[in-house]
């Protein structure tokens, strides 16, 4: 527990009237005990529950040149996150209790955010045999989310079994919805821009068909389904139907799919190459509306660091993915406006609930864990790739000026970020 | 003049016409006994070829040499490229050698765009993936002009695998810029989704070659690789040839003055039969000859030869 007591003065919790928050022994304490506390002037700042990212690639083990658990944790804390769910597509793949425990332990050692490993659904992400999901669930990492992200669990029978099997420990399958036969060789969204650029198209239907199938499977076996990085207007329609039918489905959207379109590919700069690809303005509008309405439950970054040589090359040879942890809150603020209760719901409370992270997603109020973020909503900042805490530089927002800056992040009473700088 | 030629869309009607006019002047030189001009003496042109294309490389090489440029042929095979050197490192090497122009052929769409951001010299796209091949479009327009006297107002049918064709993309862009009417023809599987809005609002699409032929001045047949049938783009080569191949019977549907073009290499018996390819309407050999003049004009204008 923290030895330092902090008094955060004049902070607006979710945009409400300014108040003081006392941070002591890992909790928000009654203000009467403020004697001797270190004062943080939070005039004009907004307090949010610490953000929770359901979709982060930390690359360790295997690609420590692109990111490590520690560097990714630091980027997360600087972005206002207090918990991240680490995707399983590492090398070796996180498909055994041993690997998920290693990632979990590295997260604890870094101590900047809670790192919750996600387990692979199938051995080696190969889509052939179920990984030992139960062993990962009962490991020290207590895995509850399983995903082959980067690959779709495309075999319908295997997907059905996975959805069914994890019911035993209240698990959830997070599906990367991409019918692989429809996206062989795909490089970008299939449409006007791909036709002009001569890049193989990734049709929206490849995503929508899998979401529809999985929703029906989840309904049939009474299981929970989470849909990763929803990217098309048609997917929103499918989700609307599924939710109306009472299917236990949740869905995420990334900041980049809320902001950028396939027109970016015109530069052939692979910093804009991502999977699923950037879509059209029509899709962006549908995703924004769905997020506001709650048809899409959460924002998840799909933070995907890549080494320079994997991006400074021809579009077709580049790896897909982009950084997201340090820019997500600013982009959501830009997209949704300063609706702080909504932002807290989509970026903290609901992702914490889906992931089963009971320490997270709580409003900073007396008695709650002191796990929160202070944001300066008036600040504007220019994205500088070289200033990123990530080991990688593949941000698609380089040079853009974004609203809202994270000033401080607290994890169970410990500051991980103060004055906009990581504390370790 | 523009600095790079990456896409046929880089040329407006005025610049495109300037290239064709310049090519016509330079073609006169090719008829002389001494074919060389001193225009680019002391300048270095690098042919950077990541794909085998003897035809295009030789055409660019002849063009540069006739303008007295120093030519370096940098083939991906048997070079450091095959040892895994990145395009960027290769670009920096060419930069250090002082290349004034880099002519690049690459299997990845957009590679010339990337290259242009890493070198100071001019970049000429000599075919990138399934994207564009702008000098092919220029030589095709040149050939139409020399055979039919104009480009504006012509109706050109581009037939075949439009989806995977860099020749088709560049031709649609350039021909519409120059005022021609263009129809792309092929099985729906080989026509890109949204091709009209992507390339030109005036572009027409047809799936019926027989219906289009009586109305065209130019029919341009694209190469169709047999392997495409393995991905179910069409059922068999026989069915493809029957529906979209140009044979003597079909050729008779063309107006008297109409010409038949093909960028090569041809797949005889697939998209075109030998008797069509070798007929008087065929411009296939002329296209090759015109290629040198057009590429001379492009290098001359990009490198500010005046």
């Amino acid at each position: 527990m923290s030895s330092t007591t902090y008094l955060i003065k004049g902070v607006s919790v979710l945009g409400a009237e300014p108040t003081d928050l006392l941070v002591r022994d890992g909790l928000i304490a009654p203000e009467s005990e403020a004697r001797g506390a270190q004062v943080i002037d939070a005039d004009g700042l907004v307090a949010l529950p610490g953000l929770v990212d359901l979709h982060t690639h930390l690359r360790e083990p295997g690609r420590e040149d692109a990111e490590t658990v520690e560097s990714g944790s630091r980027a997360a804390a600087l972005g206002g996150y207090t918990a991240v769910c680490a995707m399983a597509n590492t090398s070796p793949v996180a498909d055994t209790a041993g690997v998920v425990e290693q990632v979990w332990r590295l997260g604890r050692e870094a101590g900047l955010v809670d790192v919750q490993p996600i387990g692979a659904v199938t051995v080696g992400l190969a889509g052939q045999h179920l990984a030992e999901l139960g062993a990962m669930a009962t490991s020290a990492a207590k895995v509850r989310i399983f995903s082959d992200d980067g690959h779709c669990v495309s075999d319908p029978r295997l997907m059905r079994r996975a959805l069914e099997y994890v019911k035993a420990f209240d698990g959830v399958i997070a599906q990367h919805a991409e019918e692989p036969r429809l996206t062989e060789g795909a490089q970008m969204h299939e449409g006007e821009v791909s036709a002009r650029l001569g890049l193989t198209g990734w049709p929206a239907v490849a995503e929508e068909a899998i979401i529809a199938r999985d929703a029906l499977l989840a309904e049939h076996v009474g299981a929970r389904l989470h849909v990763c990085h929803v990217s098309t207007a048609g997917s929103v329609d499918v989700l609307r139907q599924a939710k109306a039918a009472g299917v236990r489905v949740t869905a995420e959207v990334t900041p980049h799919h809320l902001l950028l379109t396939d027109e970016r590919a015109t530069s052939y700069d692979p910093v804009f190459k991502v999977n699923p690809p950037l879509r059209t303005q029509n899709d962006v509008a549908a995703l924004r509306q769905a997020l506001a309405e709650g048809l899409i439950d959460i924002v998840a970054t799909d933070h995907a660091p890549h080494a320079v040589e994997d991006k400074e090359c021809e579009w077709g040879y580049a790896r897909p993915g982009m950084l997201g942890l340090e820019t997500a809150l600013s982009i959501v603020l830009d997209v949704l406006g300063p609706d702080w209760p909504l932002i807290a719901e989509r970026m903290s409370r609901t992702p914490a609930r889906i992931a089963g992270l009971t320490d997270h997603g709580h409003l900073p109020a007396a008695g709650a864990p002191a796990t929160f973020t202070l944001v300066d909503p008036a600040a504007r900042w220019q994205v500088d790739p070289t200033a990123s805490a990530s080991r990688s530089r593949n941000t698609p927002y380089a040079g853009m000026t974004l609203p809202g800056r994270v000033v401080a992040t607290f994890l169970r009473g410990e500051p991980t970020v103060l004055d906009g700088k990581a504390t370790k | 003049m523009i600095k790079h030629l990456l896409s046929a869309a880089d040329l407006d009607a005025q610049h495109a016409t300037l290239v064709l006019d310049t090519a016509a002047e330079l073609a006169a030189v090719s008829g002389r006994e001494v074919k060389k001009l001193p225009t680019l003496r002391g300048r270095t042109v690098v042919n950077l070829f990541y794909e085998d294309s003897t035809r295009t490389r030789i055409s660019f090489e002849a063009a540069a040499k006739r303008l007295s440029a120093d030519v370096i042929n940098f083939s991906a095979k048997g070079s450091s490229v095959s040892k895994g050197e990145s395009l960027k490192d290769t670009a920096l090497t060419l930069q250090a050698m002082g290349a004034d122009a880099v002519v690049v052929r690459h299997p990845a769409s957009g590679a010339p765009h990337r290259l242009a951001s890493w070198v100071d010299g001019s970049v000429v796209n000599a075919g990138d993936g399934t994207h564009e091949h702008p000098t092919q479009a220029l030589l095709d327009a040149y050939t139409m002009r020399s055979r039919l006297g104009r480009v504006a107002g012509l109706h050109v049918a581009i037939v075949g695998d439009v989806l995977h064709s860099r020749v088709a993309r560049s031709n649609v862009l350039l021909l519409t810029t120059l005022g021609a009417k263009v129809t792309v023809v092929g099985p729906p599987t080989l026509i890109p989704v949204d091709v009209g809005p992507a390339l030109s609002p005036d572009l027409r699409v047809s799936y019926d070659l027989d219906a289009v032929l009586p109305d065209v001045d130019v029919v341009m047949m694209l190469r169709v690789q047999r392997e495409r049938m393995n991905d179910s783009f069409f059922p068999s080569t026989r069915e493809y040839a029957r529906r979209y191949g140009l044979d003597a019977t079909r050729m008779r549907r063309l107006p008297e003055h109409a010409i038949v073009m093909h960028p090569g290499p041809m797949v005889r018996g697939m998209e075109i039969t030998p008797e069509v390819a070798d007929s008087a309407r065929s411009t296939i050999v002329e296209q090759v000859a015109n290629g040198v003049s057009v590429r001379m004009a492009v290098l001359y204008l990009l490198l500010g030869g005046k």
Side-chain angles (χ1 to χ4, degrees):
Chain A
M1 285 294 141
S2 170
S3 51
T4 313
T5 303
Y6 293 91
L7 180 64
I8 295 156
K9 285 191 77 75
V11 69
S12 160
V13 177
L14 299 191
E17 283 303 304
T19 183
D20 296 347
L21 292 175
L22 187 68
V23 175
R24 215 176 96 161
D25 296 336
L27 299 174
I28 307 291
E31 251 179 84
S32 52
E33 302 165 15
R35 204 154 43 88
Q38 185 176 325
V39 174
I40 294 175
D41 177 11
D43 185 33
L45 303 187
V46 171
L48 295 170
L51 307 182
V52 176
D53 191 18
L54 212 67
H55 193 145
T56 313
H57 296 275
L58 293 177
R59 301 291 184 227
E60 190 177 4
R63 282 307 297 264
E64 290 82 355
D65 57 325
E67 197 78 288
T68 63
V69 171
E70 187 188 338
S71 65
S73 291
R74 191 169 295 115
L78 286 163
Y81 287 90
T82 52
V84 299
C85 298
M87 272 299 172
N89 62 338
T90 48
S91 177
V93 171
D95 57 2
T96 61
V99 178
V100 293
E101 284 190 350
Q102 181 196 358
V103 172
W104 175 76
R105 198 173 308 111
L106 288 167
R108 301 239 309 182
E109 284 165 11
L112 285 153
V113 291
D114 284 346
V115 173
Q116 173 57 57
I118 291 172
V121 177
T122 66
V123 175
L125 307 174
Q128 299 289 323
H129 306 284
L130 279 188
E132 289 187 348
L133 308 180
M136 290 188 272
T138 52
S139 75
K142 296 190 179 61
V143 176
R144 289 296 177 273
I145 305 176
F146 299 90
S147 181
D148 275 3
D149 183 62
H151 303 268
C152 183
V153 182
S154 61
D155 178 340
R157 192 175 66 156
L158 192 59
M159 184 61 181
R160 177 223 161 117
R161 297 276 190 261
L163 285 164
E164 259 177 324
Y165 189 80
V166 301
K167 285 166 67 179
F169 33 87
D170 196 29
V172 59
I173 305 296
Q175 176 72 294
H176 171 118
E178 175 183 356
E179 168 48 55
R181 292 284 287 156
L182 287 173
T183 59
E184 278 173 26
Q187 295 293 332
M188 67 172 297
H189 172 67
E190 180 169 277
E192 201 181 313
V193 184
S194 68
R196 188 163 68 235
L197 298 184
L199 291 170
T200 306
W202 198 125
V205 63
E207 174 174 305
E208 293 150 9
I210 291 290
I211 298 177
R213 182 202 75 176
D214 288 353
L216 293 168
L217 287 173
E219 182 177 35
H220 180 59
V221 299
R224 285 171 68 199
L225 169 70
H226 178 74
V227 185
C228 296
H229 40 52
V230 169
S231 70
T232 79
S235 296
V236 171
D237 290 337
V238 173
L239 286 168
R240 182 180 290 114
Q241 277 193 36
K243 289 194 165 190
V247 179
R248 296 168 73 200
V249 58
T250 53
E252 71 190 34
V253 63
T254 69
H256 47 270
H257 287 113
L258 290 169
L259 191 71
L260 307 175
T261 69
D262 59 346
E263 282 291 343
R264 298 273 170 173
T266 306
S267 65
Y268 286 102
D269 184 342
V271 80
F272 299 109
K273 180 173 172 177
V274 65
N275 191 17
L278 300 176
R279 305 283 186 186
T280 68
Q281 198 57 52
N282 179 46
D283 296 300
V284 168
L287 294 170
R288 288 179 176 201
Q289 198 188 337
L291 181 66
E293 288 173 12
L295 276 172
I296 290 177
D297 302 80
I298 65 168
V299 174
T301 65
D302 195 4
H303 177 81
H306 284 298
V308 171
E309 65 270 23
D310 291 326
K311 282 291 189 183
E312 244 179 24
C313 59
E314 298 84 334
W315 180 282
Y317 306 159
R319 288 174 186 260
M322 37 184 71
L323 299 184
L325 287 168
E326 290 171 86
T327 44
L329 179 59
S330 291
I331 285 159
V332 173
L333 183 58
D334 193 39
V335 165
L336 289 181
D339 184 340
W340 301 108
L342 184 66
I343 291 172
E345 193 64 51
R346 300 284 183 266
M347 298 188 77
S348 174
R349 205 169 301 146
T350 308
R353 181 172 55 74
I354 294 168
L357 297 171
T358 51
D359 275 3
H360 295 267
H362 302 286
L363 206 62
T371 298
F372 62 90
T373 293
L374 300 181
V375 186
D376 180 357
R380 294 182 71 80
W381 61 291
Q382 196 175 40
V383 181
D384 172 9
T386 62
S388 174
S390 168
R391 284 209 174 171
S392 293
R393 296 289 171 258
N394 56 308
T395 173
Y397 312 112
M400 286 174 69
T401 300
L402 300 175
R405 183 104 231 213
V406 172
V407 174
T409 307
F410 280 77
L411 175 62
R412 285 185 289 275
E414 292 274 9
T416 55
V417 173
L418 276 180
D419 295 327
K421 293 182 181 64
T423 56
K424 54 181 167 181
Chain B
M1 194 61 191
I2 53 174
K3 180 172 181 192
H4 307 293
L5 182 59
L6 305 177
S7 162
D10 294 341
L11 296 166
D12 58 19
Q14 190 195 340
H15 281 134
T17 306
L18 177 63
V19 174
L20 301 183
D21 291 345
T22 306
E25 287 174 36
L26 293 168
V29 176
S30 304
R32 294 202 308 228
E33 195 175 339
V34 177
K35 293 186 170 64
K36 261 189 157 169
L37 289 174
T39 324
L40 295 185
R41 183 174 294 153
R43 316 293 291 274
T44 302
V45 175
V46 176
N47 286 323
L48 178 60
F49 274 58
Y50 286 81
E51 276 183 346
D52 287 330
S53 175
T54 311
R55 167 192 307 255
T56 305
R57 188 182 58 73
I58 286 176
S59 181
F60 269 106
E61 186 173 352
K65 283 183 170 166
R66 282 184 196 173
L67 294 169
S68 305
D70 296 323
V71 179
I72 298 172
N73 287 314
F74 195 122
S75 157
K77 297 225 167 82
S79 73
S80 54
V81 172
S82 57
K83 294 172 197 141
E85 184 174 76
S86 74
L87 181 63
K88 185 174 183 184
D89 286 334
T90 302
L92 298 180
T93 304
L94 301 180
Q95 176 72 13
M97 296 189 318
D100 296 293
V102 180
V103 176
V104 60
R105 161 69 64 101
H106 200 290
S109 299
H113 291 70
R114 300 292 285 154
L115 196 63
S117 67
W118 294 321
V119 298
D120 292 335
S122 291
V123 175
V124 180
N125 181 358
D128 62 329
T130 54
H131 177 226
E132 285 210 44
H133 193 356
T135 60
Q136 177 72 41
L138 284 164
L139 76 87
D140 289 339
Y142 182 93
T143 304
M144 289 176 209
R145 212 171 69 158
S146 63
R147 271 283 188 120
L148 301 169
R150 68 200 160 102
V151 175
L154 294 180
H155 183 193
V156 181
I158 301 175
V159 185
D161 185 357
V162 178
L163 180 64
H164 300 99
S165 175
R166 48 197 176 205
V167 175
R169 273 179 192 74
S170 286
N171 262 297
V172 170
L173 292 168
L174 184 72
L175 291 169
T176 51
T177 296
L178 290 172
K181 182 171 103 179
V182 183
T183 304
V184 291
V185 186
T189 44
L190 291 176
I191 305 289
V193 168
D194 292 339
V195 68
L199 297 179
S200 162
D202 302 323
L203 182 66
R204 294 148 194 247
V205 176
S206 171
Y207 309 133
D208 185 350
L209 180 56
D210 286 323
V212 171
L213 288 178
D215 185 45
V216 301
D217 304 293
V218 178
V219 57
M220 182 183 297
M221 304 307 293
L222 302 171
R223 181 168 63 121
V224 177
Q225 294 175 336
R226 287 197 172 83
E227 300 76 52
R228 299 286 178 213
M229 76 179 174
N230 301 333
D231 288 329
S232 297
F233 285 106
F234 48 85
S236 66
T237 53
R238 190 174 56 185
E239 174 157 325
Y240 182 87
R242 202 174 284 155
R243 291 178 68 84
Y244 296 102
L246 191 60
D247 59 15
T249 315
R250 240 181 210 131
M251 186 166 68
R252 283 195 283 277
R253 299 177 69 86
L254 286 167
E256 197 63 35
H257 68 279
I259 58 172
V260 175
M261 305 183 74
H262 196 298
M266 285 181 283
V267 186
R268 288 176 184 246
M270 180 75 175
E271 71 268 6
I272 196 163
T273 59
E275 51 185 328
V276 176
D278 303 331
S279 75
R281 289 176 186 275
S282 165
T283 63
I284 293 163
V285 179
E286 265 167 84
Q287 284 171 266
V288 176
N290 292 339
V292 177
S293 306
V294 163
R295 285 164 181 138
M296 284 172 78
V298 166
L299 291 172
Y300 174 77
L301 292 168
L302 286 189
L303 294 181
K306 280 186 187 168

